[in-house]
Amino acid sequence: MKILITAGPTREHLDPIRFISNRSTGKMGFAVAQAAAERGHTVTLIAGPVSLATPPGVTRVDVTSACEMLEAVQRALPKQDALVMSAAVADWRPIQKTATKLKKRDMEPVIHLVPNPDILKTILPEKENRLFVGFAAETGDPTAEAQRKLTAKGLDMIVANDVTAEGAGFAVDTNRVTFFTVNGQPQVLPLQSKLDVGRAIIAWLEGQ
Ligand code: PMT
């Protein structure tokens, strides 16, 4: 299969120095990419700003902001059989980005934001017979939000993680996830390495 994977955070700059972002390190998405490449799939990895080495055999495209990630996904999608959106895309960006450093004396104590495009919702009309897998990062029991996002974003599967659980979520090498699909029962996976979570996602894609 040809599999497109997104990973890491996005950065939404106010000026060349300051930005809004989140705690994603890219470990989860890079593990999915490694698992897919290990199985012989053709893998394109769109990465936000992270400091991780590209897994062997993977084609990598680096982006910074959510808008850049959307453009990169739109460019790559026509050739793909499946998409795994593990990136933690910032939902908002500053209304303005200045080309030079904002001086403290010129700054307002309020940052005005505009919503970023929802990448999955934007590309849904291009889905055709491709498989789309999303992630749901929640604090606490992710069931209700995961099921809502599965439907709202037109996904075939969503991988839900409670990012407050021990050994799960951001910046660790393990994760504890549940797979929610449109028709099947939720599949609760044990705490395991992100690479093994990635392998389980790829096995699910291969089984469709
Ligand atoms: O990178 P790590 O440090 O390893 O951390 C892993 C992780 C916690 C980032 C990962 O496991 C995870 O949960 N990724 C999804 C984070 C997220 O943005 O979740 P969400 O519930 O806000 O978004 C739901 C889905 O919509 C996701 O597939 C997301 O990629 C997508 N999305 C979100 C916002 C947006 N503007 N466009 C999108 O397509």
Side-chain angles (χ1 to χ4, degrees), residues 86-175:
S86 73
V89 184
D91 288 313
W92 299 87
R93 68 178 184 277
I95 202 159
Q96 259 190 327
K97 177 187 162 187
T98 59
T100 53
K101 184 184 177 187
L102 284 163
K103 299 288 175 227
K104 188 176 166 189
R105 62 175 176 274
D106 298 334
M107 285 178 83
E108 277 188 81
V110 172
I111 300 172
H112 297 278
L113 302 174
V114 288
N116 270 330
D118 186 300
I119 296 176
L120 282 169
K121 284 187 182 168
T122 307
I123 60 171
L124 190 55
E126 269 65 67
K127 184 174 184 293
E128 297 171 357
N129 56 357
R130 297 181 180 87
L131 292 164
F132 278 10
V133 175
F135 270 71
E138 308 298 336
T139 50
D141 182 354
T143 306
E145 272 302 285
Q147 280 168 338
R148 188 188 65 74
K149 288 175 185 176
L150 178 72
T151 310
K153 297 186 185 235
L155 298 166
D156 298 289
M157 174 161 84
I158 197 157
V159 180
N161 43 186
D162 171 0
V163 298
T164 63
E166 184 75 32
F170 296 105
V172 287
D173 292 318
T174 53
N175 209 351

